[in-house]
DNA sequence: CTTTTTGCAAATGATTTGCATTAAC
DNA sequence: GTTAATGCAAATCATTTGCAAAAAG
């Protein structure tokens, strides 16, 4: 009976996918489990090099993407790489394709009031809420085939 | 009695702030009102140069930022310039400071089910929802003064 | 041993900046 | 006339890529 360590979820997922367990991956994963804050790739590198000198930024990026695919971290922010501007001013939300970055409007009633209240309580003024739904769009889902 | 044109909201806001009404600003604003889609700065430039040759990318960026400040467009995507990774895996939301980019967790119950359903109906699979609240944090609000 | 992962250096792409010129007011 | 806004070229920043060397299984 293997005792569940902090590494287990990562190690198990890697083995299940036939991928390798490297010190870089372990250290980055541990760091993220320990730190209870949002970190950029840069910040991760800074902390990681202290424990494992020589680690490179590209490795950090690759590992973070891997961890995201394994469901072990959540990516925040740019879902595609660029900023988009929306001319619709009425309240509505958005769906973003996690593969191609396509953004579509989403008309759905979502009760954002409690979140706005919580934000104000946290010290944020002029709060506005927007729901971002992430998923895989039809086009990206249908492999190599025009709309059937 | 000035008839309300499509330009009015922009022109009025500019005058109110003592800023200048330039053809670039008018054309970019009109374009965004007409097009009913999300556009990147590049895409805006492409369309704008057809109507006003010689317009530059920096001007497009500056104008889009201005329009955002005036509340005439909404910015989607990178609220700060970089991606952040969140190690919290349980459902929660985020507040982002629109000035400094600071991101904090937000624990508030938000009913995302209807949005997820709408996304599926729109053809998106594996949909996950995250609420992003944008506002100005306390630190950015208190001008030039450490926490009082 | 074989194949994946790494580190390095260089490339890419979006956005921003400095500055002289032009155009609003 | 004054001052803000523009266009241009170059800078910056985060992220990605190509490839040979190192390491996991």
């Amino acid at each position: 009976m293997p005792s569940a360590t902090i590494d287990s979820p990562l190690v198990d997922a890697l083995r299940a996918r036939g991928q390798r367990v490297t010190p870089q991956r372990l250290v980055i994963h541990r760091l993220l489990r320990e730190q209870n804050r949002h970190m950029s790739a840069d910040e991760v590198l800074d902390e990681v090099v202290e424990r494992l000198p020589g680690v490179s930024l590209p490795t950090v990026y690759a590992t973070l993407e891997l961890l995201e695919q394994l469901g072990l971290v959540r990516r925040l922010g740019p879902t595609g790489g660029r900023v988009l501007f929306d001319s619709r001013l009425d309240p509505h939300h958005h769906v973003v394709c996690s593969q191609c970055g396509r953004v579509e409007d989403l008309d759905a009633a979502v009760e954002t009031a409690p979140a706005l209240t919580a934000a104000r309580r946290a010290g944020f003024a002029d709060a506005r809420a927007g729901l971002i739904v992430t998923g895989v769009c039809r086009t990206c889902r249908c492999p190599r085939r025009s709309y059937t």
Side-chain angles (χ1 to χ4, degrees), chain A:
Chain A
M1 49 195 157
S3 63
T5 72
I6 198 178
D7 300 325
S8 302
L10 173 58
V11 174
D12 294 349
L14 286 174
R15 294 236 166 91
R17 296 172 41 142
Q19 288 182 291
R20 295 178 180 174
V21 178
T22 66
Q24 290 88 337
R25 287 173 177 174
L26 288 172
V27 170
I28 292 171
H29 176 243
R30 283 186 190 177
L31 176 75
L32 289 165
R33 303 279 93 203
E34 292 165 12
Q35 306 271 327
N36 236 53
R37 60 195 185 93
H38 308 116
M39 302 183 80
S40 64
D42 265 328
E43 291 168 339
V44 170
L45 180 67
D46 288 346
E47 304 270 4
V48 166
V49 283
E50 291 183 19
R51 311 190 191 182
L52 197 67
V55 176
S56 67
L57 243 197
T59 297
V60 170
Y61 275 106
T63 303
L64 288 170
E65 187 180 344
L66 174 65
L67 292 177
E68 190 197 4
Q69 288 172 4
L70 299 178
L72 297 173
V73 281
R74 247 217 281 184
R75 178 188 299 252
L76 297 185
T79 314
R82 74 223 161 131
V83 177
L84 294 180
F85 294 87
D86 190 348
S87 54
R88 269 189 68 182
L89 299 177
D90 63 299
H92 66 282
H93 304 288
H94 296 97
V95 221
V96 184
C97 176
S98 49
Q99 315 245 303
C100 68
R102 171 174 202 73
V103 179
E104 290 183 23
D105 283 343
L106 205 60
D107 287 293
V110 175
E111 191 47 70
T112 59
L116 291 172
T117 305
R120 263 181 236 109
R121 211 179 303 123
F124 286 77
D126 296 317
R128 305 189 109 283
L131 192 74
I132 307 285
V133 176
T134 319
V136 183
C137 76
R138 216 189 314 265
T139 308
C140 287
R141 195 134 31 77
C142 301
R144 209 137 289 301
R145 180 180 299 280
S146 31
Y147 312 77
T148 307

